[in-house]
Amino acid sequence: MGRNRKIDVWTFVSLGLLLLFGLFLIYPLVNLLRESVYSNGAFTLDAFRKFFSKSYYYGSILNSAKIALTVTVVSLLLGIPFAYFYSFFRMKGKKFLFVLVLLSTMSAPFIGAYSWILLMGNSGLITNFLKTLGLPSFSIYGFGGIVLVQSLKLFPLVVIYMNGAFRDIDNSLLEAAESMNCSGVKRFFKVIMSLTMPTILAAALLVFMRSFADFGTPVLIGRGYSTFPVLIYNQYLGENGADYHFASAISVIAVVVTAVIFIIQKVSTNKFKFTISALHPVQPKETKGIRGILMHVFTYFLVSIAMLPQLYVINMSFRNYNNSILRPGYSLINYQKAMEKNLIRSITNTLSISFITLAVIILIAVLIAYLVVRRSNLMNNTIDVISMLPYIMPGGVIGIALIISFSKSPFYLTGTIMIMVIALAIRRMPFTSRSATAAMMKISESIEEAALSLGASKFTAFTKITIPMMSSGIISGAVLSWVSVITEMSSGVILYNNRTITLTLSTYAAINNGTYGVAAVFATITTIFTVICLALYLKLTKMEDVRL
């Protein structure tokens, strides 16, 4: 049927989107690949040979994979029981607990790393306290620290995913299992885990990808433990200037590695693919006795530890003394210093870049959703696949690709707000496009046909009928995209300059300069924006099984 459709406005929309993605995604990636195999105009694989000839380079892949795998396992071990207790039992303060879980996962990843430096760094609050007691302290630097910070940041993603999966389980299946003497722990592993395996794999992939691509945490607390994203950034800068050739080769390897991981997950998920409908949803039970106490202790202690870094950073932004809450003195001195360090410019840039990016994301995501669902054909499905490519790419890869492509005429964009918007829109498009597509699938095509039969044009039916009906999906995806945009660091750290600096990048710069109080101010304001996003999300969606 797609071949019989007449050329109309939607055909030109498809061609326009294809052109946009071709110019700002495919063209940069092709240039990245070309830069990796060409040096001084000659084809060469010397950059790849250099990478695989030194353990320092190829070892970074193994380090990142080791961290990501460990973080994934830890996040699943923490998140699945948390979600199980939350979904199957009546927890005290359930709504409050859910808000804390969302807030934990919506904050910027590097803020957690920075906070734990203040708490457990060489002169951290907890470190000094343990020293006074003569007790050994845990070093936040290196492999263990990265795993701790990332696990506390990412386990809430597992909670959110599994909460939705547990709510989809039909209670009659659990009752049938119990009638066959399959109850308690046995029922959990044999029935509940089997029914939610597709979601477990999806959550595991998301955690793995985010951990693998995280730049902020390892660059702050890695201390010599080299990871792939940090290696890409360091080699891009180079000791003697930007080394695009070698940085491009590493970036290509990064894309290949993440693509392989993504394919493995997809193949694994297909083996567990099935449909489940909760005609009789699980009714939460009362928590009684010691079991109830342990459930509450586990969930509230875990989310408190996850929230501790953010609360401590906010406190430190008002302190007169770095790394101490034991000495007296609260003031706005750090905020005054931040005003001298581009605070207003950082806020202005953050808001302007994020809102422009969000507008671009919403517009394109809605168009993609309509094309994929209502006008499915080879070209539109190709657009959908291309738009999802950044999902498996570290931010640094996209940043380097854009610099290589747009640092000379006729497309000189390096150092401008526009290139920041392009990078962020490309990276965060999948969040909103998936959410919008899911919302579009729930809208019956007969509703639009009824509008057409009453004399409305296709464009009018789309703008007046379809978009309002899919607004909840658009809003939920857009809010989550906006949070990820204002907390983005891995691509921005490559693309920014003093004129385009944002709150997250100002935080990073302040930490590098050792002005921790000023860094706390930038991080606090970023957290405030995150809380505002969360409040909007909860008010507009009223859902607890969000998809990030």
Side-chain angles (χ1 to χ4, degrees):
M1 290 181 65
R3 291 193 298 267
N4 297 328
R5 280 195 176 119
K6 295 179 181 180
I7 295 178
D8 57 12
V9 65
W10 289 109
T11 304
F12 291 104
V13 170
S14 299
L15 291 172
L17 289 177
L18 201 59
L19 179 63
L20 277 176
F21 281 111
L23 177 61
F24 295 120
L25 182 56
I26 301 303
Y27 172 65
L29 291 179
V30 170
N31 283 337
L32 183 75
L33 179 60
R34 185 182 184 280
E35 186 70 31
S36 70
V37 295
Y38 277 89
S39 180
N40 298 321
F43 179 84
T44 177
L45 296 176
D46 64 330
F48 292 94
R49 282 193 290 268
K50 177 182 177 181
F51 181 86
F52 289 106
S53 64
K54 294 185 179 181
S55 60
Y56 172 76
Y57 296 134
Y58 65 75
S60 65
I61 301 179
L62 301 178
N63 288 345
S64 290
K66 181 181 176 182
I67 288 173
L69 185 61
T70 306
V71 169
T72 301
V73 173
V74 173
S75 296
L76 291 175
L77 291 176
L78 295 176
I80 293 176
F82 192 115
Y84 177 75
F85 298 151
Y86 182 89
S87 301
F88 284 80
F89 297 92
R90 293 194 179 98
M91 306 290 293
K92 303 295 184 182
K94 201 169 186 179
K95 295 293 183 181
F96 178 67
L97 194 63
F98 177 67
V99 169
L100 293 181
V101 167
L102 272 182
L103 189 58
S104 298
T105 196
M106 292 173 77
S107 63
F110 74 93
I111 290 180
Y114 160 58
S115 306
W116 283 107
I117 290 175
L118 298 180
L119 288 167
M120 299 184 67
N122 293 333
S123 301
L125 175 68
I126 296 176
T127 302
N128 289 334
F129 178 71
L130 292 176
K131 285 180 180 178
T132 60
L133 298 178
L135 299 175
S137 60
F138 168 80
S139 175
I140 198 63
Y141 302 106
F143 174 82
I146 297 173
V147 170
L148 171 67
V149 173
Q150 289 188 352
S151 297
L152 290 174
K153 162 70 181 176
L154 297 175
F155 90 86
L157 291 176
V158 178
V159 174
I160 294 168
Y161 264 65
M162 294 306 299
N163 181 36
F166 288 146
R167 290 176 63 185
D168 288 338
I169 294 177
D170 195 306
N171 194 48
S172 60
L173 297 175
L174 302 182
E175 292 173 351
E178 196 161 357
S179 68
M180 300 174 69
N181 294 323
C182 181
S183 59
V185 176
K186 185 178 180 181
R187 185 182 67 173
F188 175 80
F189 285 104
K190 291 286 187 180
V191 180
I192 296 175
M193 291 291 284
S194 297
L195 291 173
T196 57
M197 188 55 66
T199 303
I200 293 173
L201 292 174
L205 173 69
L206 182 58
V207 171
F208 189 97
M209 288 294 192
R210 289 205 176 185
S211 173
F212 191 88
D214 184 18
F215 168 79
T217 303
V219 78
L220 291 179
I221 62 176
R223 287 287 177 93
Y225 195 86
S226 176
T227 63
F228 219 23
V230 177
L231 178 66
I232 292 173
Y233 174 73
N234 290 337
Q235 295 307 312
Y236 158 72
L237 289 180
E239 295 180 0
N240 300 312
D243 187 354
Y244 290 150
H245 180 54
F246 190 44
S248 297
I250 300 175
S251 299
V252 169
I253 295 170
V255 173
V256 172
V257 171
T258 52
V260 169
I261 295 168
F262 182 76
I263 292 171
I264 292 173
Q265 189 271 346
K266 284 296 182 184
V267 172
S268 301
T269 302
N270 288 335
K271 292 183 178 180
F272 296 94
K273 196 171 184 179
F274 51 83
T275 301
I276 184 170
S277 179
L279 297 177
H280 304 91
V282 175
Q283 297 299 317
K285 301 177 181 178
E286 291 290 344
T287 55
K288 297 179 180 179
I290 188 64
R291 289 176 55 191
I293 294 174
L294 292 176
M295 287 180 195
H296 283 85
V297 169
F298 173 76
T299 52
Y300 275 96
F301 176 76
L302 191 55
V303 80
S304 297
I305 296 298
M307 284 295 300
L308 177 62
Q310 297 180 60
L311 298 176
Y312 188 64
V313 162
I314 294 172
N315 174 79
M316 290 305 301
S317 71
F318 295 100
R319 297 294 300 175
N320 292 336
Y321 305 98
N322 285 336
N323 302 350
S324 176
I325 61 173
L326 303 179
R327 298 171 66 182
Y330 283 92
S331 72
L332 297 176
I333 184 65
N334 291 323
Y335 286 83
Q336 294 173 358
K337 292 179 179 178
M339 291 290 289
E340 301 170 2
K341 299 290 184 180
N342 292 324
L343 176 60
I344 300 300
R345 177 179 295 178
S346 298
I347 294 175
T348 303
N349 285 341
T350 298
L351 293 177
S352 58
I353 290 173
S354 61
F355 280 121
I356 294 171
T357 302
L358 189 61
V360 172
I361 287 175
I362 291 175
L363 175 62
I364 296 178
V366 170
L367 293 176
I368 290 175
Y370 185 86
L371 293 172
V372 170
V373 178
R374 293 289 188 261
R375 301 177 63 87
S376 180
N377 56 38
L378 179 60
M379 181 165 62
N380 292 336
N381 289 332
T382 300
I383 293 172
D384 186 43
V385 171
I386 292 174
S387 71
M388 289 299 295
L389 288 178
Y391 182 77
I392 61 172
M393 295 180 189
V397 172
I398 294 175
I400 292 174
L402 289 175
I403 286 180
I404 292 173
S405 301
F406 301 113
S407 59
K408 54 188 176 182
S409 297
F411 304 112
Y412 186 82
L413 300 176
T414 304
T416 66
I417 283 182
M418 185 174 179
I419 199 170
M420 300 280 284
V421 170
I422 292 170
L424 292 170
I426 288 172
R427 281 213 75 201
R428 303 309 178 184
M429 183 72 66
F431 290 122
T432 306
S433 64
R434 289 300 92 190
S435 181
T437 300
M440 188 76 197
M441 289 179 175
K442 297 177 182 179
I443 301 174
S444 173
E445 194 168 357
S446 61
I447 297 176
E448 296 170 28
E449 293 173 349
L452 295 175
S453 68
L454 293 172
S457 65
K458 290 183 178 179
F459 182 76
T460 301
F462 175 67
T463 55
K464 300 291 187 180
I465 305 296
T466 306
I467 291 181
M469 291 187 68
M470 59 190 295
S471 60
S472 62
I474 296 172
I475 291 171
S476 62
V479 171
L480 294 174
S481 290
W482 196 69
V483 171
S484 62
V485 166
I486 65 174
T487 58
E488 170 67 20
M489 183 173 170
S490 56
S491 61
V493 75
I494 290 176
L495 297 170
Y496 88 102
N497 58 27
N498 194 51
R499 290 183 292 110
T500 60
I501 195 167
T502 62
L503 285 169
T504 53
L505 298 172
S506 290
T507 307
Y508 175 66
I511 293 172
N512 281 342
N513 293 331
T515 53
Y516 293 124
V518 174
V521 172
F522 290 117
T524 297
I525 296 175
T526 304
T527 300
I528 290 172
F529 285 148
T530 303
V531 171
I532 293 172
C533 286
L534 175 58
L536 284 173
Y537 180 85
L538 293 174
K539 181 176 179 60
L540 295 172
T541 62
K542 298 180 174 65
M543 294 182 67
E544 299 180 10
D545 54 344
V546 294
R547 294 289 186 268
L548 301 181

